[in-house]
Every structure is written in C-alpha cells, then in structure tokens.
Amino acid sequence: VTIYDVADHAGVAISTVSRVLNESPDVSEPTRKRVEQAIAELKYHPNRTARSLAQQEYRSFAVALPSFTAPFQNELLKGVRSLLREIDHDLLVCDLGSTNQMESLRRFLDRGAVSGLLVCGIELTDELAEELSGARSPAVLVGHSHPGFDSWTWDEAQGAQDAVAHLIQEGHKEIMMITSSVDTPLQSERIAGYQRAMNAAGLSETDQRLVSGTIDYHSGYSEEDGYDAMIQILDNHSACTAVFCCSDVHAVGALKALRERNVSVPDGMALVGYDDVKTSRFIGLSSVDQSAQKIGYAAAKRLHERIKGPLDMAVEHHVIAPSLQVRSSSKSS
Amino acid sequence: VTIYDVADHAGVAISTVSRVLNESPDVSEPTRKRVEQAIAELKYHPNRTARSLAQQEYRSFAVALPSFTAPFQNELLKGVRSLLREIDHDLLVCDLGSTNQMESLRRFLDRGAVSGLLVCGIELTDELAEELSGARSPAVLVGHSHPGFDSWTWDEAQGAQDAVAHLIQEGHKEIMMITSSVDTPLQSERIAGYQRAMNAAGLSETDQRLVSGTIDYHSGYSEEDGYDAMIQILDNHSACTAVFCCSDVHAVGALKALRERNVSVPDGMALVGYDDVKTSRFIGLSSVDQSAQKIGYAAAKRLHERIKGPLDMAVEHHVIAPSLQVRSSSKSS
DNA sequence: CTGTTAGCGCGTTCAC
DNA sequence: GTGAACGCGCTAACAG
C-alpha cells in the first residue's frame, strides 16, 4: 500500500497526499479530510526509505562504539537518545565487536547514508579519518580527538589518579590495578595516573601490582578480562585490599569474581572502576554519573548543528573530571 | 558522488558499477579492476537508502523497548545484536521513553519501513496489535504474548517466587518487596509470586511489607522509584533484612540508596532484583544472566526467518525461569 | 560480458 | 487548491 493507493482511494493526486502527510497549509479542508480518511482506511504508512531518498534527509544518527553494554557507553547512549528525541531522529547502533573495530566501522560506512556519525571510544587512524572526512555525513568524536573533527575528550591520567587517590584516602595501601590485556595509549595514561597517585602517597607501584587478564576480547576491554585478573589477585595477592580497574567493564567482571569467592564489596575488597569521566564511582553503587549522559547529549547536539548549517571550525572539548567543567579549544578544520 | 560519477570515471555504465558492488560474477576482470579503482579514487560509498528502495530490502531490525539501559533490556539487545551481525543487518533502537509508550511506538511505525520489529516489554492493545499486523514488516513479541504473534514469555509469578524463596533460604524472615508506583498486570503477578513464597514459608506478607516509590516515571519502573522506596524502608522498617525488588531497574535505584546510607550489600541488606528471567541474581553481582541474551537472539532469529519465508504459524515460546527450558505452543495466526 | 531502461516510493517544482 | 512530471541513487530485467 503506497501513496498511489491512497491517492486513488481518495480520488486525488499523489502530490496532494504528500501535502497532507507533510502538513502543508495548501490543502483545502474537505480534501484533507478525504485523504486522511483514506490513509486510515488503508492503514497506510509512508515509506521512510523513499522519503529519505527524495528529500536527501536521513533523519538518523549512527553511533559507533565498542560494546554498547558497558556502563559508560550505556549512559552516553542515553544522552544521545535525549537529543535524538528532541529532533525526531532515529538511532542506529553500530557496536564494533571484539575484533578489528576499524574494519567493522568501515563496513558500516560502506552500508551507506545516515545524517551523522558519532564515533566513541575508538582511536582514529589517519587513514580512517580521511575516509570519514570524505563521507557524506559529518562525524563527531567522543573519547579521542583528531585534527579537523569535533571531539569530546577528558584527562585520562588525571581521572585515574583521582580514583586511586580516593582509595588511598580511605586508608588503603595495598592497592592493585587491573589493566587490559592489550596495550593501548589510553591504558598507558591510566596506568600513569595510578602510578602518580601511588607515588604521591609514597606507596609501592611496582609492576607486580599491575595485573591483567589473559583473555583477549573486545580489544582487551572485556568483563572476562576483569574477571580473570581478579581471580589472579585473589589467588596470589592476599594482602591486597583495594583494586583500581582500568575500565568499568573490567570492574563488572572483577565484581563477578568477588561474588564467586564470597568476598564482599567494599568491606572485603574495595573496588573502583574507571568509567571514563567520573572515576570515583564504585561499581554497583548506582547508575553511572550523569557526565557521560551530558557528553552524549552535547556531542549529538553538535553533530546536529553541523548537519544543519556547515560550521567550519572543529572544536575540541576537553572535559575535566569529575565535575564536568568544560574547557573548549578550537582548532581550524 | 554517486554511482554515475564512478561509472563516468571508469568509463562504464552504472549497471556495471552496480555489478561489481554486488559482487556479480558477470564482470570481466579488467573492467572490475577499473571500477574498483574509480571507487577508491572517488571515495565512493553506495547509498544505503537508495539501495533499500530499489531492492525492497531494508536490512535492519527495529527494537522497541522501554528504556534500553535497564540490565535486562541491555542483555536482550546484546543477543539481538549477535544475530544481526550474523545476517549483516543494522539495529534501529526505539526506546519508548516514560510517557505513553503506545504513542511513541505508533509514531515510530509511521516513520516507515524496516525489515522487522521486535517489541519488548510492552503490552499490546488489540488496536495496536491490528496496526502491527497491517504493517509491512512482521513483529515478534518479547515479554508479552498476543494471538497471531510470535512471542517469548516467561512465568512472572514463578520467577518472583523463586527469587524470594532464595532469600528465605538464606535465612531472611523480614523480607520486604519494592513494587512499582504504577499498577500493572505484570506487577500483580510478581507480587503474587512474592506472596506465595512468603506464605509457603509461613512468613508475614502483609501490605505493609509492600513499598513503592512515589515518583511516577518510566511507567513506574524507574531507578528513582526504587531509590525512593528503599529510603522509605530504611527510615521506617529497621527490622527488614532483605528486599525483593519487582524489577532490576528498581534494584539499581535501591542500591544507590543503600550506598548513600552506608549500608553494605548483602551483609547489611540483602537485595534481589527481578530481572525478568533469571531472578536469583544479586544486582551488582555481575552482568546479568545470559538468558536475556539468548531470548534476544532467538527472537531476532525467528523474526528473520519470518521475513525470509512466510511462516504461517505464530509460535508462543514460554520460557521457564531460570534454566531457560523452552516450551513452545503454536497457535494459528 | 556490457549498456539501456524502467521502476522502487516519495518530494517538489511547475503549470493549470 | 490541485495535478502532471521529473528526480533522488540504485537494482534488475532486457537487449545487444
């Protein structure tokens, strides 16, 4: 049942049907009624695809991220969703599974047109960045920056340092860190933050205090990884009283391990997971801080503005954990 | 940059370009090379929308659910995503916010075509059911059943009973239940399950043991609701040692309240949240049980099959918590 | 093997 | 106010 059927049924031309669909004022009341009735009787629903094609407007954002079930990503999506609801757009989720995320993203791009793209938690290679610039829809970055792109980032090292300082302040001395089984620049920064906090308090931060899982999955940022690492800690480091996880995903896995071994949190073992922005959050405490949500909203909004009118300056927003003060620095695109 | 540009650039017709795009064998190696090079040089990406229109295949599923950030929904989405990845489809998320979900769903449907629709956690009115049947794409239900639709459901009362029995078995006697601030059939069943478990153990289950939040949000199934109710319990029911939440969302909010009051879990207060399928999960323990994931996968798969070849029997799958045995009953559509 | 052409369903000038 | 005709970018016959 297409627009033609409706037109026939109402005894008008398709353009007239189109007009009532798009709430044009140039339709007389009687014909509008007739058309609306025809639509109802035929249970007609316009074809979103055809409409997109005709007016070159896709009314949908794609969000590319690794595993949308991580707490942080989840909150981020909430924020994005809020904006999308305001502007009546759809949400296309592209989670770039475990293995080669770049390839997944590229394949997704090949799939075609959306209004805009939000790239979260993925470091852009120069090559991929060029592809994105060439794409017909603009992109906004979250968690990484790249010249020429709008982005939202935060101070990874400082965030990690704050988290560990929090544990220290609570009286812990034997603090270990669960790292990812895969080396990434992101992780290096978080480790650096951990070390700074430990050093500042005069505590040991030898390599033996860094434990990573052995399972390589989701680029090393997986629950399995965290689970695995926590088991190691429980088996080999009985003195440890607190653990800082280099990601919230790890913390979820670590919690699972603690459960299995009947270790309570935080009394038996204090646990802090880095959730990318507000670090001093205990996993299991509550839904994550709203920072992530705000970032999601802001990034989506920026994307929308870029789609509407071509802004020619890419802005890098640097978010300072944990209170979400924003320090913007513009760069020429 | 369209397919025409590529054709020009390579000195061929658009159909030839189309052929290499769709990996047709009917292209000579030399021309294929030329076309591929043109594609690369022009950074051409086919327009997904146009392609969908032409071949009447949308290659995307929409999932309609209330708040996709709840643990259960989240896991469900994971499962759906797995299947989608297998069949190379996209995921369109339609979260039907807090207020009038029916209207949100209807508006989403109006937006147009997707290959299939997964409706989760929403009770279908007859009216809406008819609209769905009339839609061009099939729908599969999760959490509710309706004549003529494939569905995945489970025994709400039994699930709740199991959860409470679990608490009882751990020695708790003063067990309260956090309910939703809004009355729903779903909730009634869960309350019934709670009561059955209490009665079976000879424990009191008076109305004073049922506490609901006062904030009406997300149809009553919100974190705020759970938070609110738990505060009430802490303030007014000091004897209480364990709480059963009528949804995992409530449990998340309740945990937050416990945190604020420095009550540990589960030593200070045992907490179980109903997560729709495997109920004996402690919130904060781990990622939710894989049941939800499996259901998501299975439902999406069924949807896919229904899209491919017209199956004319609607099947109601009844899932028995918590081990996910499935008992199917077919009904004529 | 390759080019031509007719749609896919709808929006949008244009005349009438 | 309303209708006819063209175009959006691509696929799928059909010729050649």
Side-chain angles (χ1 to χ4, degrees), chain A residues 1 43-53 56 58-60 67-70 74-75 77-78 81 85 88-98 106-114 130-131 134-136 223 252-253 255-257 259-260 264-267 282-287, chain B residues 1 43-53 56 58-60 67-70 74-75 77-78 81 85 88-98 106-114 130-131 134-136 223 252-253 255-257 259-260 264-267 282-287:
Chain A
V1 40
K43 292 185 202 304
Y44 166 74
H45 291 257
N47 185 319
R48 146 217 266 97
T49 304
R51 179 179 294 200
S52 292
L53 225 209
Q56 298 291 77
Y58 304 102
R59 300 187 77 77
S60 65
S67 170
F68 61 93
T69 52
N74 220 312
E75 289 302 302
L77 278 178
K78 271 195 196 172
R81 201 64 197 81
R85 217 192 309 272
D88 200 32
H89 278 42
D90 286 325
L91 171 61
L92 219 52
V93 171
C94 166
D95 63 327
L96 320 161
S98 36
R106 188 168 292 123
R107 276 189 53 198
F108 184 79
L109 289 177
D110 274 347
R111 296 285 307 279
V114 290
E130 199 184 359
E131 273 188 58
R136 89 186 86 235
E223 293 181 17
V252 172
L255 255 170
K256 182 170 186 172
R259 255 303 158 210
E260 281 188 11
S264 69
V265 176
D267 299 331
F282 284 94
I283 295 291
L285 154 60
S286 73
S287 66
Chain B
V1 41
K43 291 185 202 308
Y44 165 74
H45 290 257
N47 185 320
R48 148 223 262 92
T49 304
R51 179 179 297 199
S52 293
L53 224 210
Q56 297 291 77
Y58 303 102
R59 301 188 75 78
S60 65
S67 173
F68 61 93
T69 53
N74 221 312
E75 290 302 302
L77 278 179
K78 269 195 197 174
R81 202 66 196 81
R85 217 193 307 273
D88 201 31
H89 277 41
D90 286 325
L91 170 61
L92 220 50
V93 172
C94 166
D95 63 328
L96 321 161
S98 36
R106 189 169 291 122
R107 275 189 54 198
F108 184 80
L109 288 178
D110 273 347
R111 297 286 305 281
V114 290
E130 200 185 358
E131 274 188 57
R136 89 186 85 234
E223 292 180 19
V252 172
L255 253 171
K256 182 170 184 170
R259 256 299 158 211
E260 281 187 13
S264 69
V265 176
D267 299 330
F282 284 95
I283 295 291
L285 154 59
S286 73
S287 66

